[in-house]
PDB file of all heavy atoms in Angstrom:
ATOM      1  N   ARG U   1      95.640  94.948 105.244  1.00  0.00           N
ATOM      2  CA  ARG U   1      95.312  94.490 103.877  1.00  0.00           C
ATOM      3  C   ARG U   1      96.309  94.971 102.830  1.00  0.00           C
ATOM      4  O   ARG U   1      96.679  94.208 101.935  1.00  0.00           O
ATOM      5  CB  ARG U   1      93.880  94.992 103.509  1.00  0.00           C
ATOM      6  CG  ARG U   1      92.804  94.580 104.491  1.00  0.00           C
ATOM      7  CD  ARG U   1      92.451  93.113 104.319  1.00  0.00           C
ATOM      8  NE  ARG U   1      91.282  92.768 105.139  1.00  0.00           N
ATOM      9  CZ  ARG U   1      90.838  91.535 105.332  1.00  0.00           C
ATOM     10  NH1 ARG U   1      91.485  90.549 104.754  1.00  0.00           N
ATOM     11  NH2 ARG U   1      89.795  91.301 106.076  1.00  0.00           N
ATOM     12  N   TRP U   2      96.696  96.256 102.934  1.00  0.00           N
ATOM     13  CA  TRP U   2      97.623  96.764 101.953  1.00  0.00           C
ATOM     14  C   TRP U   2      98.991  96.050 101.970  1.00  0.00           C
ATOM     15  O   TRP U   2      99.535  95.769 100.917  1.00  0.00           O
ATOM     16  CB  TRP U   2      97.811  98.287 102.134  1.00  0.00           C
ATOM     17  CG  TRP U   2      96.541  99.071 102.095  1.00  0.00           C
ATOM     18  CD1 TRP U   2      95.975  99.797 103.101  1.00  0.00           C
ATOM     19  CD2 TRP U   2      95.635  99.248 100.954  1.00  0.00           C
ATOM     20  NE1 TRP U   2      94.807 100.408 102.684  1.00  0.00           N
ATOM     21  CE2 TRP U   2      94.592 100.070 101.357  1.00  0.00           C
ATOM     22  CE3 TRP U   2      95.684  98.757  99.631  1.00  0.00           C
ATOM     23  CZ2 TRP U   2      93.537 100.432 100.529  1.00  0.00           C
ATOM     24  CZ3 TRP U   2      94.625  99.139  98.786  1.00  0.00           C
ATOM     25  CH2 TRP U   2      93.598  99.955  99.254  1.00  0.00           C
ATOM     26  N   CYS U   3      99.418  95.770 103.170  1.00  0.00           N
ATOM     27  CA  CYS U   3     100.698  95.044 103.309  1.00  0.00           C
ATOM     28  C   CYS U   3     100.552  93.651 102.739  1.00  0.00           C
ATOM     29  O   CYS U   3     101.461  93.165 102.045  1.00  0.00           O
ATOM     30  CB  CYS U   3     101.050  94.959 104.812  1.00  0.00           C
ATOM     31  SG  CYS U   3     102.551  94.049 105.137  1.00  0.00           S
ATOM     32  N   ALA U   4      99.410  92.983 102.964  1.00  0.00           N
ATOM     33  CA  ALA U   4      99.197  91.643 102.442  1.00  0.00           C
ATOM     34  C   ALA U   4      99.205  91.607 100.929  1.00  0.00           C
ATOM     35  O   ALA U   4      99.720  90.713 100.282  1.00  0.00           O
ATOM     36  CB  ALA U   4      97.907  91.070 102.986  1.00  0.00           C
ATOM     37  N   ILE U   5      98.540  92.634 100.273  1.00  0.00           N
ATOM     38  CA  ILE U   5      98.535  92.725  98.830  1.00  0.00           C
ATOM     39  C   ILE U   5      99.897  92.922  98.299  1.00  0.00           C
ATOM     40  O   ILE U   5     100.343  92.280  97.305  1.00  0.00           O
ATOM     41  CB  ILE U   5      97.562  93.856  98.365  1.00  0.00           C
ATOM     42  CG1 ILE U   5      96.117  93.533  98.784  1.00  0.00           C
ATOM     43  CG2 ILE U   5      97.667  94.072  96.866  1.00  0.00           C
ATOM     44  CD1 ILE U   5      95.166  94.701  98.571  1.00  0.00           C
ATOM     45  N   PHE U   6     100.699  93.793  98.975  1.00  0.00           N
ATOM     46  CA  PHE U   6     102.113  94.018  98.576  1.00  0.00           C
ATOM     47  C   PHE U   6     102.878  92.720  98.632  1.00  0.00           C
ATOM     48  O   PHE U   6     103.594  92.331  97.672  1.00  0.00           O
ATOM     49  CB  PHE U   6     102.715  95.081  99.424  1.00  0.00           C
ATOM     50  CG  PHE U   6     104.212  95.314  99.162  1.00  0.00           C
ATOM     51  CD1 PHE U   6     104.549  96.153  98.127  1.00  0.00           C
ATOM     52  CD2 PHE U   6     105.156  94.632  99.948  1.00  0.00           C
ATOM     53  CE1 PHE U   6     105.956  96.370  97.865  1.00  0.00           C
ATOM     54  CE2 PHE U   6     106.466  94.900  99.679  1.00  0.00           C
ATOM     55  CZ  PHE U   6     106.864  95.748  98.656  1.00  0.00           C
ATOM     56  N   GLU U   7     102.756  92.004  99.742  1.00  0.00           N
ATOM     57  CA  GLU U   7     103.529  90.761  99.893  1.00  0.00           C
ATOM     58  C   GLU U   7     103.151  89.735  98.847  1.00  0.00           C
ATOM     59  O   GLU U   7     103.961  88.877  98.421  1.00  0.00           O
ATOM     60  CB  GLU U   7     103.348  90.223 101.316  1.00  0.00           C
ATOM     61  CG  GLU U   7     103.974  91.096 102.401  1.00  0.00           C
ATOM     62  CD  GLU U   7     103.719  90.588 103.771  1.00  0.00           C
ATOM     63  OE1 GLU U   7     102.851  89.690 103.946  1.00  0.00           O
ATOM     64  OE2 GLU U   7     104.313  91.066 104.718  1.00  0.00           O
ATOM     65  N   ALA U   8     101.848  89.726  98.436  1.00  0.00           N
ATOM     66  CA  ALA U   8     101.409  88.774  97.450  1.00  0.00           C
ATOM     67  C   ALA U   8     102.006  89.064  96.039  1.00  0.00           C
ATOM     68  O   ALA U   8     102.181  88.150  95.264  1.00  0.00           O
ATOM     69  CB  ALA U   8      99.866  88.755  97.416  1.00  0.00           C
ATOM     70  N   LEU U   9     102.202  90.341  95.744  1.00  0.00           N
ATOM     71  CA  LEU U   9     102.591  90.724  94.409  1.00  0.00           C
ATOM     72  C   LEU U   9     104.099  90.974  94.251  1.00  0.00           C
ATOM     73  O   LEU U   9     104.646  90.923  93.159  1.00  0.00           O
ATOM     74  CB  LEU U   9     101.784  91.926  93.947  1.00  0.00           C
ATOM     75  CG  LEU U   9     100.311  91.704  93.760  1.00  0.00           C
ATOM     76  CD1 LEU U   9      99.598  92.998  93.383  1.00  0.00           C
ATOM     77  CD2 LEU U   9     100.049  90.632  92.667  1.00  0.00           C
ATOM     78  N   ALA U  10     104.752  91.391  95.346  1.00  0.00           N
ATOM     79  CA  ALA U  10     106.167  91.758  95.279  1.00  0.00           C
ATOM     80  C   ALA U  10     107.023  90.521  95.368  1.00  0.00           C
ATOM     81  O   ALA U  10     107.573  90.195  96.411  1.00  0.00           O
ATOM     82  CB  ALA U  10     106.504  92.727  96.404  1.00  0.00           C
ATOM     83  N   LYS U  11     107.181  89.835  94.275  1.00  0.00           N
ATOM     84  CA  LYS U  11     107.897  88.562  94.208  1.00  0.00           C
ATOM     85  C   LYS U  11     109.057  88.721  93.203  1.00  0.00           C
ATOM     86  O   LYS U  11     108.799  88.671  91.971  1.00  0.00           O
ATOM     87  CB  LYS U  11     107.008  87.434  93.809  1.00  0.00           C
ATOM     88  CG  LYS U  11     105.808  87.205  94.728  1.00  0.00           C
ATOM     89  CD  LYS U  11     106.251  86.689  96.102  1.00  0.00           C
ATOM     90  CE  LYS U  11     105.034  86.364  96.959  1.00  0.00           C
ATOM     91  NZ  LYS U  11     105.409  85.973  98.318  1.00  0.00           N
ATOM     92  N   PRO U  12     110.311  88.862  93.667  1.00  0.00           N
ATOM     93  CA  PRO U  12     111.418  88.870  92.718  1.00  0.00           C
ATOM     94  C   PRO U  12     111.699  87.465  92.212  1.00  0.00           C
ATOM     95  O   PRO U  12     111.096  86.488  92.648  1.00  0.00           O
ATOM     96  CB  PRO U  12     112.613  89.377  93.574  1.00  0.00           C
ATOM     97  CG  PRO U  12     112.239  88.908  94.948  1.00  0.00           C
ATOM     98  CD  PRO U  12     110.754  88.985  95.054  1.00  0.00           C
ATOM     99  N   GLY U  13     112.586  87.339  91.219  1.00  0.00           N
ATOM    100  CA  GLY U  13     112.949  86.039  90.769  1.00  0.00           C
ATOM    101  C   GLY U  13     113.553  85.185  91.864  1.00  0.00           C
ATOM    102  O   GLY U  13     114.081  85.650  92.850  1.00  0.00           O
ATOM    103  N   GLU U  14     113.459  83.878  91.668  1.00  0.00           N
ATOM    104  CA  GLU U  14     113.882  82.953  92.791  1.00  0.00           C
ATOM    105  C   GLU U  14     115.364  82.593  92.710  1.00  0.00           C
ATOM    106  O   GLU U  14     115.933  82.181  93.687  1.00  0.00           O
ATOM    107  CB  GLU U  14     113.026  81.688  92.674  1.00  0.00           C
ATOM    108  CG  GLU U  14     111.554  81.908  92.927  1.00  0.00           C
ATOM    109  CD  GLU U  14     110.732  80.654  92.877  1.00  0.00           C
ATOM    110  OE1 GLU U  14     111.336  79.590  92.584  1.00  0.00           O
ATOM    111  OE2 GLU U  14     109.522  80.691  93.104  1.00  0.00           O
ATOM    112  N   ASP U  15     116.005  82.753  91.571  1.00  0.00           N
ATOM    113  CA  ASP U  15     117.379  82.210  91.412  1.00  0.00           C
ATOM    114  C   ASP U  15     118.357  83.417  91.384  1.00  0.00           C
ATOM    115  O   ASP U  15     118.247  84.340  90.587  1.00  0.00           O
ATOM    116  CB  ASP U  15     117.539  81.431  90.127  1.00  0.00           C
ATOM    117  CG  ASP U  15     116.624  80.211  90.076  1.00  0.00           C
ATOM    118  OD1 ASP U  15     116.486  79.619  91.164  1.00  0.00           O
ATOM    119  OD2 ASP U  15     116.111  79.867  89.020  1.00  0.00           O
ATOM    120  N   GLY U  16     119.357  83.332  92.249  1.00  0.00           N
ATOM    121  CA  GLY U  16     120.451  84.271  92.257  1.00  0.00           C
ATOM    122  C   GLY U  16     120.037  85.700  92.453  1.00  0.00           C
ATOM    123  O   GLY U  16     120.474  86.601  91.668  1.00  0.00           O
ATOM    124  N   VAL U  17     119.144  86.009  93.370  1.00  0.00           N
ATOM    125  CA  VAL U  17     118.616  87.375  93.532  1.00  0.00           C
ATOM    126  C   VAL U  17     119.665  88.234  94.200  1.00  0.00           C
ATOM    127  O   VAL U  17     120.236  87.892  95.241  1.00  0.00           O
ATOM    128  CB  VAL U  17     117.334  87.365  94.370  1.00  0.00           C
ATOM    129  CG1 VAL U  17     116.844  88.806  94.583  1.00  0.00           C
ATOM    130  CG2 VAL U  17     116.288  86.550  93.670  1.00  0.00           C
ATOM    131  N   VAL U  18     119.908  89.371  93.635  1.00  0.00           N
ATOM    132  CA  VAL U  18     120.837  90.392  94.174  1.00  0.00           C
ATOM    133  C   VAL U  18     119.948  91.540  94.721  1.00  0.00           C
ATOM    134  O   VAL U  18     119.199  92.147  93.993  1.00  0.00           O
ATOM    135  CB  VAL U  18     121.803  90.931  93.113  1.00  0.00           C
ATOM    136  CG1 VAL U  18     122.679  92.051  93.748  1.00  0.00           C
ATOM    137  CG2 VAL U  18     122.683  89.865  92.529  1.00  0.00           C
ATOM    138  N   LEU U  19     120.021  91.759  96.022  1.00  0.00           N
ATOM    139  CA  LEU U  19     119.186  92.767  96.650  1.00  0.00           C
ATOM    140  C   LEU U  19     120.084  93.867  97.194  1.00  0.00           C
ATOM    141  O   LEU U  19     121.233  93.649  97.607  1.00  0.00           O
ATOM    142  CB  LEU U  19     118.368  92.164  97.810  1.00  0.00           C
ATOM    143  CG  LEU U  19     117.413  91.075  97.464  1.00  0.00           C
ATOM    144  CD1 LEU U  19     116.610  90.575  98.648  1.00  0.00           C
ATOM    145  CD2 LEU U  19     116.420  91.540  96.368  1.00  0.00           C
ATOM    146  N   SER U  20     119.502  95.089  97.226  1.00  0.00           N
ATOM    147  CA  SER U  20     120.183  96.261  97.779  1.00  0.00           C
ATOM    148  C   SER U  20     119.461  96.750  98.990  1.00  0.00           C
ATOM    149  O   SER U  20     118.208  96.852  98.974  1.00  0.00           O
ATOM    150  CB  SER U  20     120.293  97.385  96.717  1.00  0.00           C
ATOM    151  OG  SER U  20     121.054  96.935  95.594  1.00  0.00           O
ATOM    152  N   LEU U  21     120.177  97.135 100.022  1.00  0.00           N
ATOM    153  CA  LEU U  21     119.613  97.591 101.291  1.00  0.00           C
ATOM    154  C   LEU U  21     120.024  99.020 101.568  1.00  0.00           C
ATOM    155  O   LEU U  21     121.181  99.386 101.387  1.00  0.00           O
ATOM    156  CB  LEU U  21     120.124  96.663 102.462  1.00  0.00           C
ATOM    157  CG  LEU U  21     119.819  97.106 103.874  1.00  0.00           C
ATOM    158  CD1 LEU U  21     118.303  97.056 104.143  1.00  0.00           C
ATOM    159  CD2 LEU U  21     120.543  96.167 104.844  1.00  0.00           C
ATOM    160  N   ASP U  22     119.030  99.837 101.940  1.00  0.00           N
ATOM    161  CA  ASP U  22     119.327 101.236 102.313  1.00  0.00           C
ATOM    162  C   ASP U  22     118.077 101.828 102.959  1.00  0.00           C
ATOM    163  O   ASP U  22     117.017 101.181 103.125  1.00  0.00           O
ATOM    164  CB  ASP U  22     119.719 102.052 101.095  1.00  0.00           C
ATOM    165  CG  ASP U  22     120.630 103.237 101.447  1.00  0.00           C
ATOM    166  OD1 ASP U  22     120.806 103.514 102.673  1.00  0.00           O
ATOM    167  OD2 ASP U  22     121.143 103.908 100.556  1.00  0.00           O
ATOM    168  N   SER U  23     118.231 103.090 103.379  1.00  0.00           N
ATOM    169  CA  SER U  23     117.093 103.789 103.977  1.00  0.00           C
ATOM    170  C   SER U  23     117.032 105.229 103.432  1.00  0.00           C
ATOM    171  O   SER U  23     118.007 105.745 102.836  1.00  0.00           O
ATOM    172  CB  SER U  23     117.213 103.861 105.479  1.00  0.00           C
ATOM    173  OG  SER U  23     118.218 104.811 105.849  1.00  0.00           O
ATOM    174  N   THR U  24     115.924 105.876 103.603  1.00  0.00           N
ATOM    175  CA  THR U  24     115.739 107.284 103.258  1.00  0.00           C
ATOM    176  C   THR U  24     114.936 107.967 104.354  1.00  0.00           C
ATOM    177  O   THR U  24     114.017 107.359 104.966  1.00  0.00           O
ATOM    178  CB  THR U  24     115.071 107.457 101.866  1.00  0.00           C
ATOM    179  OG1 THR U  24     115.112 108.841 101.474  1.00  0.00           O
ATOM    180  CG2 THR U  24     113.653 106.979 101.888  1.00  0.00           C
ATOM    181  N   SER U  25     115.244 109.230 104.639  1.00  0.00           N
ATOM    182  CA  SER U  25     114.536 109.979 105.664  1.00  0.00           C
ATOM    183  C   SER U  25     113.386 110.780 105.048  1.00  0.00           C
ATOM    184  O   SER U  25     113.526 111.369 104.008  1.00  0.00           O
ATOM    185  CB  SER U  25     115.459 110.918 106.408  1.00  0.00           C
ATOM    186  OG  SER U  25     116.432 110.181 107.125  1.00  0.00           O
ATOM    187  N   ILE U  26     112.245 110.774 105.766  1.00  0.00           N
ATOM    188  CA  ILE U  26     111.043 111.486 105.330  1.00  0.00           C
ATOM    189  C   ILE U  26     110.656 112.516 106.413  1.00  0.00           C
ATOM    190  O   ILE U  26     110.544 112.164 107.570  1.00  0.00           O
ATOM    191  CB  ILE U  26     109.883 110.468 105.137  1.00  0.00           C
ATOM    192  CG1 ILE U  26     110.264 109.354 104.156  1.00  0.00           C
ATOM    193  CG2 ILE U  26     108.592 111.227 104.658  1.00  0.00           C
ATOM    194  CD1 ILE U  26     110.577 109.817 102.762  1.00  0.00           C
ATOM    195  N   LYS U  27     110.505 113.714 105.945  1.00  0.00           N
ATOM    196  CA  LYS U  27     110.087 114.792 106.863  1.00  0.00           C
ATOM    197  C   LYS U  27     108.666 114.584 107.322  1.00  0.00           C
ATOM    198  O   LYS U  27     107.796 114.323 106.504  1.00  0.00           O
ATOM    199  CB  LYS U  27     110.191 116.152 106.182  1.00  0.00           C
ATOM    200  CG  LYS U  27     109.956 117.365 107.054  1.00  0.00           C
ATOM    201  CD  LYS U  27     111.148 117.663 107.919  1.00  0.00           C
ATOM    202  CE  LYS U  27     110.950 119.020 108.613  1.00  0.00           C
ATOM    203  NZ  LYS U  27     112.109 119.319 109.503  1.00  0.00           N
ATOM    204  N   ALA U  28     108.408 114.619 108.625  1.00  0.00           N
ATOM    205  CA  ALA U  28     107.092 114.503 109.177  1.00  0.00           C
ATOM    206  C   ALA U  28     106.463 115.890 109.292  1.00  0.00           C
ATOM    207  O   ALA U  28     107.021 116.784 109.971  1.00  0.00           O
ATOM    208  CB  ALA U  28     107.115 113.844 110.512  1.00  0.00           C
ATOM    209  N   HIS U  29     105.390 116.109 108.603  1.00  0.00           N
ATOM    210  CA  HIS U  29     104.613 117.369 108.663  1.00  0.00           C
ATOM    211  C   HIS U  29     104.066 117.529 110.084  1.00  0.00           C
ATOM    212  O   HIS U  29     103.859 116.567 110.792  1.00  0.00           O
ATOM    213  CB  HIS U  29     103.513 117.360 107.628  1.00  0.00           C
ATOM    214  CG  HIS U  29     102.855 118.661 107.396  1.00  0.00           C
ATOM    215  ND1 HIS U  29     101.789 119.086 108.168  1.00  0.00           N
ATOM    216  CD2 HIS U  29     103.128 119.651 106.477  1.00  0.00           C
ATOM    217  CE1 HIS U  29     101.402 120.291 107.708  1.00  0.00           C
ATOM    218  NE2 HIS U  29     102.216 120.643 106.704  1.00  0.00           N
ATOM    219  N   ARG U  30     103.780 118.772 110.484  1.00  0.00           N
ATOM    220  CA  ARG U  30     103.290 119.021 111.836  1.00  0.00           C
ATOM    221  C   ARG U  30     101.913 118.334 112.026  1.00  0.00           C
ATOM    222  O   ARG U  30     101.624 117.965 113.147  1.00  0.00           O
ATOM    223  CB  ARG U  30     103.124 120.527 112.090  1.00  0.00           C
ATOM    224  CG  ARG U  30     102.121 121.247 111.213  1.00  0.00           C
ATOM    225  CD  ARG U  30     102.112 122.744 111.566  1.00  0.00           C
ATOM    226  NE  ARG U  30     101.109 123.459 110.770  1.00  0.00           N
ATOM    227  CZ  ARG U  30      99.857 123.572 111.035  1.00  0.00           C
ATOM    228  NH1 ARG U  30      99.358 122.979 112.120  1.00  0.00           N
ATOM    229  NH2 ARG U  30      99.053 124.250 110.239  1.00  0.00           N
ATOM    230  N   CYS U  31     101.144 118.063 110.954  1.00  0.00           N
ATOM    231  CA  CYS U  31      99.881 117.393 111.145  1.00  0.00           C
ATOM    232  C   CYS U  31     100.055 115.896 111.421  1.00  0.00           C
ATOM    233  O   CYS U  31      99.077 115.188 111.738  1.00  0.00           O
ATOM    234  CB  CYS U  31      98.955 117.644 109.959  1.00  0.00           C
ATOM    235  SG  CYS U  31      99.502 116.850 108.436  1.00  0.00           S
ATOM    236  N   ALA U  32     101.292 115.418 111.299  1.00  0.00           N
ATOM    237  CA  ALA U  32     101.564 114.028 111.657  1.00  0.00           C
ATOM    238  C   ALA U  32     101.658 113.852 113.155  1.00  0.00           C
ATOM    239  O   ALA U  32     101.797 112.730 113.664  1.00  0.00           O
ATOM    240  CB  ALA U  32     102.809 113.501 110.978  1.00  0.00           C
TER     241      ALA U  32
END
C-alpha cells in the first residue's frame, strides 16, 4: 500500500525531465 501511494503521488513534470541517479548506504542495526 505505501509503495502504491508513493507511485500515485510522486509524479515529476512530463516534459524534458532531468533525473539524477545515485545510492546511499544505511547502517543496519543489530535488531535488523
Side-chain angles (χ1 to χ4, degrees):
R1 303 288 186 187
W2 302 116
C3 178
I5 295 172
F6 175 83
E7 291 176 351
L9 294 176
K11 301 292 186 184
E14 296 182 358
D15 299 323
V17 177
V18 177
L19 299 182
S20 297
L21 172 64
D22 207 351
S23 73
T24 187
S25 292
I26 304 296
K27 185 79 171 180
H29 192 272
R30 65 181 180 84
C31 69

